Amino acid sequence: MKNSRFDKSRLPSRHVTEGPSRAPHRSYFYAMGISEEEIHSPWVGVATCWNEAAPCNIALARQAQSVKQGVKKAGGCPREFTTITVTDGIAMGHEGMRSSLASRDAIADTVELTMRGHCYDALVGLAGCDKSLPGMMMAMVRLNVPSVFIYGGSILPGRLNGRDVVVQDVFEAVGQHAAGRMSDAELDILERVACPSAGACGGQYTANTMACVSEAIGLALMNSSGAPAPYESRDQFGLASGEAVMELIASNIRARDVVTRKSLENAARVVACTGGSTNAGLHLPAIAHEAGIAFDLFDVCDIFRETPYFVNLRPGGDYVAKDLYDAGGVPVVMRELRRAGLIHEDCITASGRTIGEELDLVDREIDGKVIHAVTSPLSATGGVVGLKGNLAPDGAIVKVAGMPPETQVFTGPARVFECEEDAFAAVTRREYREGEVIVIRNEGPAGGPGMREMLATTAALSGQGMGKKVALITDGRFSGATRGFCVGHVGPEAAHGGPIALLRDGDIVTIDAPRGEISVALSDEELAARRKNWPGPRATDYASGALWKYSKLVGKARYGAVTHPGAEAETHIYMDQ
C-alpha cells in the first residue's frame, strides 16, 4: 500500500522504484528484504562517518539505527551508507594532517555521489569530527534535498587531580614534558585518563563549534548536538531526526530553504559568542558556496566583530561541551543572543518551525558560569577576530577568547619557517626568542597541500609557558584547541605569491586584534621588489594521487577553500531531476 502523504512522482527515487522498466531494480530491493510498501515509499539516505579511527566516530553506527527507526516509523524507507573520516586528533602534527581538510570535500563528494547514484529523496547525516560535520552539511546544501543533520556528541572529560582534563591538556603536556616540567610518569597517567569515552574532543574546538553551527543554521533539531556521545538520550534525538526528515519531505522543505544568508549569520553569531574555532571562518563560507550565497571570511568576521563573547568554554575559558549541555545548550545561548536583537528569528529549521518559534519554547535560565548574560559578557566583541592588512590582503583570522585586551596587540621580528616540521623542531629545541613572531608558510590549501592545523606547535609553546610571549602566523590553520596569539588563514597563501611568501627573518610584524589589522613594516616598493625575485611556489612531494588533485582544484581560504564552482554555476538541482 502506497503512503498517500507523499507524491512519489516528484521524488528522485521514482527513477529506481516505479514502473515496469524498473523491475530489475526492484528485484535487488526484494533481495535485501525490502517490502513492496517500503519500495514505493520515500527513500532516505542515512549517511554516517563511522569508522574505528578515533572515539569521535565510534558511536555513529549505533546512533544511525535509531535514525532508521524514526524514518520507518514515519513511513519512509531508510538506506544506511557510510563515508570516510580523517580525524584531526590522530592526523595532528605529521603528514597525515594534509588529508584533513581534503577529507571535508571528499565527504561532501561521496555523499553526493551515493545520493545521486541511488536516487535517494532525503538525507539524514551523522558526523562526529572536525571536517565530517561541515562536509556532511555541504552535501545537504549541494543536493538541496530535505535534510536533517545530527552530531554524534562530545566526549566526556577525564578527571585528574580534582579537575577535568581533555586531549588539549595532553597536547600541551608534550611541551611541558619537553621543557622538563612534567615527568614520564605524569605524562603516562594523563594520556590514559584524558579521553574516557566515545565522542568528539570536549572543548569548544572545531567539532563542537560546528555542532553548535548545525543547530544555529537550522539543519539540526534544536538541542540535538549537546548530549555527550555515551548518553543513551542521543538515540532519542536520532529517532526524532528520522521522523523530522519525513515531515520535511511531505512539506517539501529543502536544505536551501534552511541555509540562507540570515541563517549563516545566526551560525556565525553562535561561533563568536561561544569563542568557537577559527575553522568556522573556513567552513561557513564553504557551506554558503554550496547554496550560491556570497558569504566569505570578511562577512564572517564582520559578524564576529559585533557579537559579544559570553559563553565560558575551553580552550579560552573554563568549561567543556558537557557543561554547556548541562547549562541548557545552544537554545539558551541563542535566546541570549535574541535578547540583544542579534538573531534572525524568521529562519526555518529542520523541525519545520522557525528559530523564533523554537526559542519561544526555551524555559531555561542562564547559569551565570558557563553561559553569562549577553548584557554582561566576558568581552564586548566575539571570541574570534578577522584581520586584514598588507601581510594578508585576503584576510586572516585569530581566536582571542580568554585573552585580556592588553595582550591582543603584538609587534615583533619575524622568524620564518618553510613548513610546520621545521617550526616544531625549532620550538622543541627552544630555538626562538621571546617577543618573536613565528611564521610558518607553505601550509595553505594548495601549497601544503591540505592547510594543516598547527596544534602540535602551538601546544608545545603553551606547554613551555611561551604561549603569550610569542605570536605565530601561518597560511595554514590552527586547531580549535589552539590558544595563544595565533593567526591562521593568512591569504593569499605563500603558494599563490601572497605577502607571507616574501617575509624574511627580522621583518617587523604587527598584529592588532582590536583594530583588525595585520601588517609588516615594509613599503609597497620593497614588497614589489621582493616579489620580482620570488622563486615561485615550493615544490612538494605530492605529484600524484588525491592530494595532487586537491592542490590543483582547491581555491582560496577566504572563500572556504572549496574545490568546485558551487551553486552559482549549476544548471540543474539534483532534487528537481
Side-chain angles (χ1 to χ4, degrees):
M1 187 177 80
K2 298 181 181 179
N3 195 324
S4 60
R5 293 180 64 218
F6 306 102
D7 182 1
K8 186 79 165 184
S9 70
R10 301 186 65 178
L11 296 178
S13 63
R14 73 186 186 276
H15 295 298
V16 294
T17 65
E18 305 305 306
S21 66
R22 299 313 181 216
H25 304 67
R26 290 192 294 272
S27 69
Y28 284 133
F29 303 147
Y30 287 125
M32 294 184 286
I34 301 174
S35 70
E36 180 178 1
E37 181 177 0
E38 288 172 322
I39 287 173
H40 297 294
S41 297
W43 286 52
V44 177
V46 179
T48 82
C49 298
W50 177 88
N51 64 27
E52 294 183 330
C56 45
N57 312 307
I58 204 72
L60 295 177
R62 187 205 84 224
Q63 294 181 26
Q65 307 318 305
S66 61
V67 173
K68 291 161 66 178
Q69 291 175 15
V71 171
K72 285 185 176 182
K73 182 179 178 183
C77 182
R79 307 313 298 157
E80 183 179 355
F81 64 94
T82 60
T83 184
I84 68 163
T85 306
V86 173
T87 298
D88 286 12
I90 302 296
M92 195 73 68
H94 56 86
E95 287 290 297
M97 180 51 73
R98 299 196 190 283
S99 300
S100 171
L101 185 57
S103 76
R104 181 196 70 180
D105 295 73
I107 289 164
D109 291 349
T110 51
V111 171
E112 176 196 359
L113 291 172
T114 303
M115 293 285 291
R116 284 185 180 275
H118 301 101
C119 297
Y120 296 156
D121 302 317
L123 175 62
V124 179
L126 298 92
C129 201
D130 294 8
K131 306 309 172 297
S132 58
L133 278 80
M136 192 67 72
M137 288 186 266
M138 287 163 65
M140 292 172 172
V141 179
R142 183 185 302 177
L143 292 160
N144 198 25
V145 293
S147 301
V148 179
F149 178 86
I150 184 164
Y151 179 42
S154 71
I155 200 169
L156 293 171
R159 195 76 180 166
L160 183 64
N161 299 328
R163 69 181 186 95
D164 287 344
V165 291
V166 294
V167 72
Q168 174 194 347
D169 296 292
V170 187
F171 273 102
E172 293 184 3
V174 172
Q176 294 170 16
H177 180 268
R181 297 166 57 191
M182 178 176 282
S183 68
D184 291 346
E186 288 172 319
L187 182 61
D188 184 66
I189 291 169
L190 177 60
E191 71 180 61
R192 293 172 187 271
V193 302
C195 299
S197 74
C201 301
Q204 193 65 342
Y205 315 142
T206 304
N208 282 309
T209 295
M210 296 309 297
C212 292
V213 161
S214 72
E215 290 187 39
I217 211 169
L219 287 171
L221 296 179
M222 197 63 78
N223 207 34
S224 65
S225 70
Y231 285 19
E232 291 191 4
S233 60
R234 293 221 57 82
D235 294 340
Q236 298 305 310
F237 287 113
L239 187 73
S241 296
E243 293 178 302
V245 80
M246 297 303 298
E247 294 302 319
L248 295 179
I249 296 173
S251 303
N252 194 29
I253 296 174
R254 306 182 186 183
R256 294 186 198 174
D257 298 319
V258 173
V259 176
T260 63
R261 171 72 188 226
K262 287 183 177 180
S263 72
L264 287 160
E265 291 178 357
N266 285 345
R269 295 247 185 245
V270 169
V271 174
C273 75
T274 59
S277 169
T278 56
N279 284 312
L282 197 67
H283 301 321
L284 288 174
I287 294 169
H289 178 76
E290 302 289 355
I293 298 170
F295 192 69
D296 68 9
L297 176 64
F298 292 132
D299 295 307
V300 174
C301 290
D302 285 345
I303 300 295
F304 290 168
R305 189 176 301 112
E306 60 187 32
T307 306
Y309 161 56
F310 58 86
V311 185
N312 184 15
L313 296 173
R314 295 187 67 168
D318 301 314
Y319 297 98
V320 297
K322 175 186 177 294
D323 300 317
L324 176 60
Y325 174 67
D326 290 342
V330 173
V332 174
V333 172
M334 293 189 73
R335 191 180 63 172
E336 280 301 296
L337 287 168
R338 181 171 74 166
R339 285 174 172 166
L342 296 176
I343 284 292
H344 300 293
E345 297 186 48
D346 57 342
C347 298
I348 198 72
T349 74
S351 70
R353 295 184 289 269
T354 66
I355 284 287
E357 290 169 336
E358 290 285 358
L359 296 181
D360 287 340
L361 301 174
V362 179
D363 58 7
R364 290 282 300 271
E365 295 298 326
I366 60 171
D367 68 336
K369 295 188 301 182
V370 180
I371 306 173
H372 293 241
V374 68
T375 52
S376 54
L378 298 166
S379 65
T381 191
V384 181
V385 173
L387 307 171
K388 188 177 183 180
N390 72 339
L391 187 48
D394 275 348
I397 198 165
V398 61
K399 181 187 284 191
V400 296
M403 292 178 61
E406 63 272 15
T407 67
Q408 295 181 23
V409 178
F410 196 103
T411 297
R415 183 176 288 262
V416 181
F417 298 95
E418 301 299 335
C419 63
E420 182 193 11
E421 285 83 0
D422 291 351
F424 181 73
V427 168
T428 301
R429 296 191 297 263
R430 304 195 71 135
E431 294 174 354
Y432 64 94
R433 296 178 180 175
E434 182 177 330
E436 288 184 326
V437 177
I438 296 172
V439 179
I440 306 177
R441 63 189 178 199
N442 302 307
E443 294 288 2
M451 204 180 186
R452 289 191 291 178
E453 292 183 351
M454 308 293 168
L455 179 59
T457 302
T458 60
L461 287 167
S462 293
Q464 293 173 4
M466 297 295 287
K468 296 179 181 179
K469 298 176 181 179
V470 297
L472 197 156
I473 69 172
T474 182
D475 52 5
R477 299 179 294 127
F478 291 114
S479 165
T482 291
R483 57 178 176 154
F485 212 6
C486 301
V487 179
H489 304 200
V490 172
E493 62 173 291
H496 292 162
I500 192 172
L502 311 176
L503 288 182
R504 298 173 183 168
D505 286 345
D507 289 341
I508 302 301
V509 174
T510 296
I511 307 163
D512 189 331
R515 295 169 62 91
E517 296 177 359
I518 180 169
S519 61
V520 57
L522 297 173
S523 67
D524 292 344
E525 291 76 16
E526 174 62 19
L527 286 170
R530 292 188 186 186
R531 184 167 285 108
K532 286 182 180 180
N533 295 318
W534 179 56
R538 183 189 62 154
T540 77
D541 291 330
Y542 301 94
S544 65
L547 289 174
W548 174 86
K549 187 187 304 182
Y550 181 79
S551 70
K552 301 302 180 186
L553 292 174
V554 69
K556 294 182 177 181
R558 172 179 175 178
Y559 301 107
V562 294
T563 56
H564 71 109
E568 188 174 322
E570 70 187 7
T571 57
H572 107 111
I573 294 174
Y574 163 77
M575 191 65 185
D576 294 331
Q577 66 178 327

